[in-house]
Amino acid sequence: MPSPPPRFPHEAPKSGRRESWIRRLADSHRDHPDREVVAGHHNINYVVPLSWPLAVLLITMPFRARVKCRMPREAVEVVPRIWPSETELLTVVSRRLKEVPRCFRDFGDWSLHSYRAGKALCEVQPDGPVGEAMMRSLAEFFARAADVPEKELPPRPDGWPEPGRSQEFLDWLIGFTENQVHRPNRRRFEGLFDAVGIHSDVMTAFRADPDHRRLTPRPFGLLHTDVHRGNIVVDRRHVAVIDWELAMYGDPLHDLATHLVRMEYEKDEQTRMQELWAEAMDRAGHRDMTEGMAADLPVYLDFEYAQSVFPDIMRAALDLTASAVGPDDADYALASARVCRALRRAAEPLKLAEVPDARVAERALRDWYAGPFGRSAPSGCASRTGTPTGPPRG
């Protein structure tokens, strides 16, 4: 079962009487009876009012302020995390992008953050067009993230692709999908994968696809990699992007591609967002980050659709195991729809021979649930993937 990410040395619990009081007061905030629960795929957050005593100790102002008590959720690993400490990254990002919530304290098993007031875009506009103003704000966000100096970011893992080596960066992403997501979960989900047409060599074939040209070298920058409607907070005229734990350093076109896919823009807005992104990068002095965009962005989009098929199918199946009484017909119908949608999106990049219909997908899900990996997860495996119980915020 996955454990919380390891701490960096500087994150060891601080000592002293003041820090003891901070921890004691923070614990009381976390256990506040009127806390608001905001759940995401990777964390559970309790949002509570900030008391005067804790505000004084943290040297911040409490005027109608709230704080977020943030705890990692146990989940199947489906996305890369190159920086184990979100806290260390937020120290840099919140200094450069003032709207980003900062981390007050990291206690190891949970952390205390400032809270960005407002509503998640998924609450305000769960689907459909978001409008020109919102897209312009998001384009400017990407350009400002690209301004964060490389030297201020935490160290990257050994062997990380050097700036400009865009093809190596994409190859690393493909390798992670194959070696950390697909293969480790193949035994548990093999029957389900095979039944819906996801065979063991799909990512190998994707990597070798002759239709994918070699990527143009581009400068690297700070990437959020998960800018979707649940991670965008709107407050009056202000927009903030939260939840930075999946951030990385790499080719900016990857960040744009994940955004375009996960926002689920309609076709005209997807095209317009690409234009606004390129214009914002140009204005910010990052024109070189847009080199080869017309040819390379489709490759990153293909990769995003291809890699998403694994977590989408696994989450649909694992959510069937969440209820103590077992799934009903409606649960199977919903899971089947999720599987079919993932397969339709991945069909072209993975060159799937055919996409099964809802009936075939539902039968495959029922067979998986009735098998040894369905009703009860094997020892050492997470039984669910942290599917949000509400709008996914941070």
Side-chain angles (χ1 to χ4, degrees):
M1 186 174 289
S3 57
R7 293 194 302 247
F8 281 77
H10 76 281
E11 293 170 3
K14 296 179 173 62
S15 59
R17 182 175 299 177
R18 178 168 173 269
E19 292 303 323
S20 296
W21 275 105
I22 288 175
R23 178 63 192 253
R24 186 177 302 176
L25 289 170
D27 284 338
S28 69
H29 280 63
R30 184 183 61 176
D31 299 329
H32 195 285
D34 297 327
R35 64 192 183 185
E36 174 190 352
V37 180
V38 183
H41 284 304
H42 309 287
N43 296 279
I44 296 177
N45 305 287
Y46 298 141
V47 181
V48 298
L50 174 61
S51 68
W52 271 95
L54 184 56
V56 170
L57 289 170
L58 294 173
I59 316 176
T60 189
M61 298 304 294
F63 298 116
R64 290 180 292 179
R66 293 189 287 174
V67 288
K68 181 170 63 177
C69 305
R70 185 169 171 83
M71 282 147 285
R73 301 185 78 163
E74 294 175 346
V76 174
E77 183 181 35
V78 294
V79 284
R81 293 183 59 172
I82 72 164
W83 290 313
S85 171
E86 183 186 20
T87 299
E88 187 177 28
L89 179 64
L90 284 176
T91 301
V92 177
V93 175
S94 62
R95 184 169 62 242
R96 292 284 179 171
L97 281 67
K98 300 299 185 182
E99 75 277 11
V100 172
R102 64 192 180 101
C103 179
F104 290 123
R105 287 294 187 279
D106 188 329
F107 301 116
D109 53 346
W110 70 282
S111 51
L112 185 70
H113 297 243
S114 62
Y115 179 73
R116 181 70 192 188
K119 288 185 175 293
L121 184 59
C122 63
E123 300 174 70
V124 179
Q125 186 68 49
D127 50 41
V130 301
E132 179 86 1
M134 174 60 68
M135 291 191 294
R136 285 186 177 277
S137 294
L138 293 172
E140 292 298 329
F141 158 78
F142 286 114
R144 289 188 298 121
D147 283 335
V148 176
E150 174 192 0
K151 63 183 180 182
E152 295 184 16
L153 297 172
R156 292 175 291 285
D158 292 340
W160 190 254
E162 291 297 320
R165 297 184 176 179
S166 299
Q167 185 62 51
E168 289 183 19
F169 175 71
L170 176 60
D171 289 342
W172 187 94
L173 293 172
I174 295 171
F176 177 88
T177 300
E178 178 64 5
N179 299 320
Q180 301 300 319
V181 181
H182 181 202
R183 287 182 182 173
N185 290 290
R186 185 78 201 182
R187 177 171 174 266
R188 186 177 182 186
F189 294 95
E190 186 165 23
L192 176 58
F193 284 153
D194 285 343
V196 297
I198 301 298
H199 300 300
S200 60
D201 62 347
V202 289
M203 289 308 296
T204 302
F206 179 85
R207 185 193 293 272
D209 190 341
D211 293 338
H212 291 163
R213 51 162 272 169
R214 190 165 184 84
L215 298 183
T216 300
R218 271 176 298 276
F220 285 6
L222 173 63
L223 316 180
H224 183 282
T225 80
D226 201 25
V227 183
H228 58 72
R229 297 181 194 229
N231 283 339
I232 299 168
V233 179
V234 183
D235 178 21
R236 298 179 183 175
R237 297 183 179 180
H238 302 290
V239 173
V241 178
I242 62 172
D243 195 354
W244 285 79
E245 68 179 7
L246 305 182
M248 61 174 61
Y249 183 76
D251 189 340
L253 280 189
H254 172 57
D255 216 8
L256 176 60
T258 60
H259 173 66
L260 294 174
V261 170
R262 298 178 194 187
M263 280 291 286
E264 299 188 348
Y265 285 119
E266 295 182 358
K267 187 173 181 179
D268 58 338
E269 284 202 333
Q270 186 177 103
T271 300
R272 181 58 177 152
M273 185 63 203
Q274 295 175 40
E275 297 170 350
L276 292 172
W277 181 89
E279 292 169 4
M281 287 294 189
D282 192 5
R283 285 194 301 272
H286 301 303
R287 176 179 290 184
D288 48 358
M289 290 185 172
T290 70
E291 290 294 326
M293 177 179 172
D296 291 354
L297 181 59
V299 179
Y300 276 114
L301 289 170
D302 280 353
F303 168 73
E304 179 62 17
Y305 288 127
Q307 71 83 20
S308 294
V309 80
F310 301 106
D312 287 351
I313 291 176
M314 291 190 295
R315 283 172 174 158
L318 289 173
D319 283 352
L320 296 172
T321 70
S323 171
V325 299
D328 57 21
D329 288 346
D331 294 326
Y332 279 114
L334 176 60
S336 173
R338 292 166 64 186
V339 168
C340 289
R341 179 177 180 273
L343 291 168
R344 286 195 299 271
R345 286 154 52 111
E348 185 174 343
L350 291 182
K351 293 182 166 44
L352 302 181
E354 59 180 336
V355 176
D357 59 22
R359 179 180 54 82
V360 172
E362 182 173 329
R363 184 169 63 247
L365 286 162
R366 288 181 181 273
D367 289 344
W368 178 85
Y369 182 81
F373 299 111
R375 279 178 254 195
S376 61
S379 176
C381 291
S383 61
R384 54 190 304 173
T385 56
T387 298
T389 56
R393 289 270 304 275

